[in-house]
Amino acid sequence: MAMEASLNDLTHHPLGVFALLVGISAAVPPLVRRIGLPDLVGLLLAGVLIGPHALQWVETDSETVRLLSDLGAVYLLFTMGLEIDLEEFNRVKRRSLIYGLLILVIGVATGVSIGWMAGFASVSCLLLGALMATHTPLGYPIVRSYGAQKDESVVVSVGSTIFTDIVALLLLAVGLGLGKGDLSGFGITWLLLKIALFAVVVVVGIRWLGKRLVMRGINDENRMVLAVLVALFLASLGAELAGVEKIVGAFLAGLAVNSVLPEGRVKEQVIFVGGVLFIPIFFIDLGLLLDVGSLGRSLSKFQFTALMLLGAIGGKGLASWISGALFGYRRPQILMMWSLTMPKVAATLATAFIGFQAGLLNQMVLNAVLAVMVVTATLGPILTERSVTRLTESQQGMVPVSFGEEQEQIDGISEVVQRPLRIVVPVANPGNEQGLLSIASRLVGGSAGGEGLLLPLAMVNPSLEEVRGGLNRAVASARSRLSQAEQIGHALQVPTRTLLRLDEDIAGGMSRTALEQAADLLLIGAGRPDQLRAWLLGDVVDGVCRTAHCPVVVVDLGRQRDAGLNRILVPIKDLSASAREQFELALRVLNSAPQDQRTRITLLHVHDPRFSRQDRQWMEDQLIRWRPAAIPAERFHMVIVRGPGIDGSIHRLSREHDLVILRTQRRRVAGLPIPGSDRTSKLISQLPCAAMVISDPLV
């Protein structure tokens, strides 16, 4: 009895409640994934189980639960804004706005009509309209795995999310304001003015401050993470003070931070904190609110849920068909738009939760929204798989061309051929100069003839060398390295021209030299294996990647000798031109190998676990087309495995290979350079073989 009393006290103690919710957040998702259910469904079921309508371990009115749930709702909308690709939206913003407007009009009209037929008040009908207008593109990871993320229908669909979610959240703010009783024309006008003023202050203020923090190069990750969190909670608190719902402020803060925050560890840490802690607790709290008895009664009166489901699926289908007809899209593209905008998860649940807490939506609506979420979150990705397969079928026979390839007519047939390259190779360490130039010599030639040009570069920083003890000695040392590089180039039988540059900015000097010499590639050594992470994330390599006009390749040969690079592993994420660049580097290593070496290439693709056997076969057929006719089939292998676990698959196969060729993607947001994540560098530091990492130029 005492034991039972103590357990009861523990589950009602704030620390005990917090520990229980965190434990569920950690244990439930891996379990439900094993049976093929989404994480959030498992969290909802766990909330029902421990809630007041089942085991009664946690009460919904607990201060701890309310605080953590509010943090989860705020973090959920903040993460949505933080992960939206603003560059892609700007590329087709006109069509995204048109499509988003159609979704909004049809969704709001559908929701208001359903609410009116169900006898809800006007404010509740408005909130139902906001619910029906929102969507979450859950199928986007599937599209990316097929390399179809650049298709205009995909970009338009994802871009429409920004418009619809912003307007839907504003409708929520207006609805909550009206729900407080101020229905006068002056009250509505004043509320809209406060929302507009608040949005301007949040977005402009965060962008202004964030750009200055980034441009000043603050490298303290802890300070940057704290700055982002301060921006999030100040925006949420400011929304409450302005009479706007806090999740509106969080979403606007996410968009503003997204426009200035570089990709990398800071953004990863910010998303990680919410993804593993606060957001799961938000879904658990939704389960606490779910009354199993009322759910059964709601299902017995299935008309309302059926109307909500029909409106969610049919409304997005109608908007997709109209937009596809206006834009001249093909049927697979229209199906793609429909499948991406069908799922209702993040903003929909947050809006329903806030409306329920405010007393404007009842238990029947909450139950119906949860049912709609489960159906659309399951059906949407299934349709995405089918649409992306049909979308890419029309592109069969087309092989993407990378930076070192071009289409040529050979005997009347269009084929991809390799052209000779001009490669700039900075030489700073005599110990790895031989190996670095040797691997560069294997990349420089072309398959259709031509020799290319090897450009060893020695950099000298005058100010730094004066401090170290003498500029003349540093220049003499650089000339000695270049002389050795020239001898190595002649021994490798590769045209070589050495370059000496005095520059105060080492990274910028490398990039400017590559531009002046019209280089196709900039190849940098990674130094000692234990320093690879520092190279990939350090000032020199990041500086080169921010400013280089051409792709940058970071090479770590480790203890491997160049003559031993016979087994090459190329992990392929998708069928894009970026993935083709990895494969092209492998082809150059293979083609330049001596005749007595049986060099072979292995393509590794880890596919989405939801892929069917037909999807897997389709991917295999597409990768087979990448093999040039001159390469025998026995020297070209493919390994296609079921995800997740890309890092583990790469590490396991690397034990049987001599070289792994990876890539790290970088881009610009609001004109600011963004460094790559350190995930690739962590992976390479654990590989037992040599590695090459290619990074795209920032454009």
Side-chain angles (χ1 to χ4, degrees):
M1 197 70 177
M3 173 83 63
E4 183 177 335
S6 62
L7 287 176
N8 184 65
D9 293 339
L10 183 62
T11 55
H12 287 78
H13 190 280
L15 187 58
V17 172
F18 180 72
L20 176 62
L21 296 177
V22 173
I24 293 174
S25 302
V28 168
L31 294 177
V32 297
R33 287 178 203 143
R34 292 179 178 270
I35 58 177
L37 291 176
D39 294 0
L40 57 90
V41 174
L43 294 171
L44 287 170
L45 294 177
V48 173
L49 181 64
I50 67 172
H53 307 292
L55 297 177
Q56 300 181 357
W57 287 358
V58 179
E59 298 293 334
T60 57
D61 58 353
S62 167
E63 288 290 338
T64 304
V65 173
R66 281 206 298 267
L67 172 62
L68 295 175
S69 181
D70 286 346
L71 289 175
V74 165
Y75 228 114
L76 178 64
L77 272 296
F78 176 73
T79 304
M80 282 181 55
L82 198 62
E83 293 184 323
I84 289 176
D85 194 336
L86 298 176
E87 289 294 317
E88 292 299 316
F89 173 73
N90 288 330
R91 188 164 68 87
V92 288
K93 57 185 176 183
R94 179 176 173 273
R95 293 192 169 187
S96 293
L97 289 174
I98 293 175
Y99 183 43
L101 183 61
L102 280 171
I103 291 176
L104 184 69
V105 171
I106 294 174
V108 171
T110 302
V112 170
S113 300
I114 293 175
W116 177 75
M117 287 188 290
F120 288 124
S122 56
V123 176
S124 299
C125 291
L126 182 63
L127 291 185
L128 282 174
L131 286 173
M132 298 301 291
T134 58
H135 62 266
T136 304
L138 288 182
Y140 187 69
I142 300 176
V143 176
R144 283 185 14 184
S145 67
Y146 276 91
Q149 66 270 26
K150 297 298 182 182
D151 187 89
E152 187 173 294
S153 62
V154 177
V155 180
V156 167
S157 301
V158 176
S160 67
T161 306
I162 302 176
F163 177 75
T164 55
D165 285 354
I166 288 177
V167 177
L169 291 175
L170 292 179
L171 289 177
L172 172 64
V174 172
L176 293 176
L178 296 177
K180 295 177 181 178
D182 189 358
L183 299 177
S184 65
F186 175 77
I188 296 176
T189 303
W190 174 237
L191 177 62
L192 293 175
L193 286 176
K194 287 195 297 183
I195 293 174
L197 180 61
F198 170 74
V200 171
V201 170
V202 169
V203 174
V204 174
I206 292 178
R207 283 174 59 89
W208 180 86
L209 181 60
K211 280 188 175 182
R212 278 150 183 79
L213 290 175
V214 174
M215 293 298 287
R216 291 180 180 179
I218 293 180
N219 296 320
D220 189 337
E221 295 175 357
N222 294 330
R223 290 173 59 194
M224 289 294 290
V225 171
L226 289 176
V228 171
L229 294 180
V230 168
L232 163 62
F233 294 120
L234 284 181
S236 303
L237 180 61
E240 293 280 351
L241 295 177
V244 184
E245 178 54 41
K246 54 184 172 293
I247 62 173
V248 178
F251 184 73
L252 292 174
L255 288 176
V257 171
N258 185 25
S259 65
V260 294
L261 181 65
E263 297 285 348
R265 286 183 55 83
V266 174
K267 180 177 282 190
E268 289 174 359
Q269 289 177 12
V270 171
I271 296 176
F272 174 80
V273 170
V276 302
L277 184 60
F278 297 120
I279 295 176
I281 291 177
F282 167 73
F283 288 117
I284 294 174
D285 187 36
L286 278 177
L288 296 177
L289 297 175
L290 188 59
D291 186 349
V292 179
S294 68
L295 178 61
R297 292 190 295 272
S298 297
L299 292 178
S300 64
K301 301 177 181 179
F302 64 91
Q303 294 89 344
F304 182 81
T305 302
L307 285 175
M308 291 281 289
L309 189 57
L310 180 63
I313 297 176
K316 297 299 172 59
L318 179 60
S320 302
W321 179 78
I322 296 175
S323 299
L326 288 175
F327 304 153
Y329 289 164
R330 295 174 286 113
R331 287 186 178 180
Q333 291 177 301
I334 296 175
L335 182 60
M336 174 67 73
M337 297 170 68
W338 183 32
S339 67
L340 286 178
T341 56
M342 181 189 302
K344 292 184 169 297
V345 181
T348 307
L349 288 178
T351 303
F353 177 75
I354 297 300
F356 180 80
Q357 281 189 325
L360 300 177
L361 299 177
N362 58 23
Q363 187 74 48
M364 181 178 68
V365 175
L366 187 61
N367 294 339
V369 168
L370 293 175
V372 169
M373 178 209 69
V374 173
V375 174
T376 57
T378 303
L379 181 60
I382 293 175
L383 291 179
T384 300
E385 286 188 36
R386 296 188 178 183
S387 61
V388 74
T389 304
R390 296 178 184 177
L391 189 65
T392 50
E393 280 178 354
S394 61
Q395 300 175 352
Q396 290 185 5
M398 298 176 59
V399 177
V401 180
S402 78
F403 69 92
E405 299 176 323
E406 56 190 17
Q407 294 279 357
E408 283 193 3
Q409 293 290 327
I410 300 178
D411 296 329
I413 301 176
S414 179
E415 292 189 5
V416 176
V417 299
Q418 294 176 338
R419 56 183 175 83
L421 300 181
R422 298 167 65 93
I423 303 180
V424 172
V425 185
V427 289
N429 182 6
N432 68 356
E433 192 171 354
Q434 172 74 43
L436 201 59
L437 293 173
S438 179
I439 192 66
S441 69
R442 299 188 64 170
L443 304 177
V444 76
S447 60
E451 295 180 324
L453 182 61
L454 201 58
L455 298 166
L457 168 66
M459 295 290 303
V460 177
N461 185 325
S463 300
L464 181 61
E465 296 303 335
E466 287 290 352
V467 174
R468 286 179 174 176
L471 178 59
N472 291 334
R473 185 174 61 182
V475 171
S477 176
R479 293 189 187 278
S480 175
R481 294 196 304 272
L482 291 177
S483 177
Q484 182 181 356
E486 190 171 15
Q487 294 176 14
I488 294 172
H490 291 323
L492 294 171
Q493 298 181 348
V494 177
T496 304
R497 189 174 76 239
T498 60
L499 304 170
L500 174 64
R501 187 182 189 102
L502 276 67
D503 203 308
E504 299 290 344
D505 180 6
I506 297 296
M510 293 180 184
S511 299
R512 286 187 287 271
T513 300
L515 180 59
E516 293 164 0
Q517 299 297 326
D520 302 294
L521 194 69
L522 211 163
L523 191 142
I524 304 177
R528 295 190 300 274
D530 60 343
Q531 291 183 339
L532 179 60
R533 181 179 180 186
W535 265 94
L536 283 177
L537 297 177
D539 295 335
V540 174
V541 173
D542 273 342
V544 172
C545 291
R546 285 196 297 265
T547 55
H549 77 288
C550 60
V552 179
V553 174
V554 181
V555 179
D556 172 37
L557 294 178
R559 299 176 182 176
Q560 299 279 348
R561 297 184 60 86
D562 177 50
L565 302 180
N566 299 327
R567 300 168 299 173
I568 309 169
L569 177 64
V570 187
I572 297 295
K573 182 178 181 181
D574 49 41
L575 299 175
S576 63
S578 297
R580 178 74 186 187
E581 290 179 359
Q582 295 172 252
F583 181 65
E584 198 239 336
L585 289 180
L587 284 179
R588 288 179 179 271
V589 176
L590 183 146
N591 291 332
S592 60
Q595 293 296 327
D596 59 343
Q597 291 186 7
R598 302 301 297 171
T599 308
R600 65 180 176 88
I601 297 175
T602 301
L603 292 184
L604 168 65
H605 175 69
V606 180
H607 66 80
D608 190 286
R610 292 169 292 188
F611 277 15
S612 64
R613 181 176 300 177
Q614 292 78 9
D615 296 327
R616 178 186 174 122
Q617 184 60 48
W618 179 88
M619 176 62 73
E620 186 173 345
D621 293 340
Q622 294 304 302
L623 291 176
I624 288 175
R625 300 186 62 85
W626 283 21
R627 179 176 65 86
I631 303 297
E634 62 269 16
R635 302 178 68 184
F636 181 83
H637 298 265
M638 285 186 300
V639 178
I640 300 180
V641 298
R642 183 176 183 268
I646 178 66
D647 291 0
S649 299
I650 294 174
H651 191 272
R652 183 175 63 256
L653 288 176
S654 66
R655 299 169 187 166
E656 305 169 1
H657 291 80
D658 307 312
L659 175 66
V660 179
I661 301 179
L662 300 166
R663 73 174 305 103
T664 178
Q665 295 180 332
R666 301 163 187 257
R667 60 188 178 93
R668 287 185 184 272
V669 171
L672 296 177
I674 291 180
S677 166
D678 68 339
R679 178 182 178 183
T680 303
S681 63
K682 288 180 179 178
L683 172 62
I684 297 175
S685 66
Q686 301 170 357
L687 295 180
C689 62
M692 297 173 59
V693 183
I694 181 171
S695 174
D696 284 334
L698 289 166
V699 294

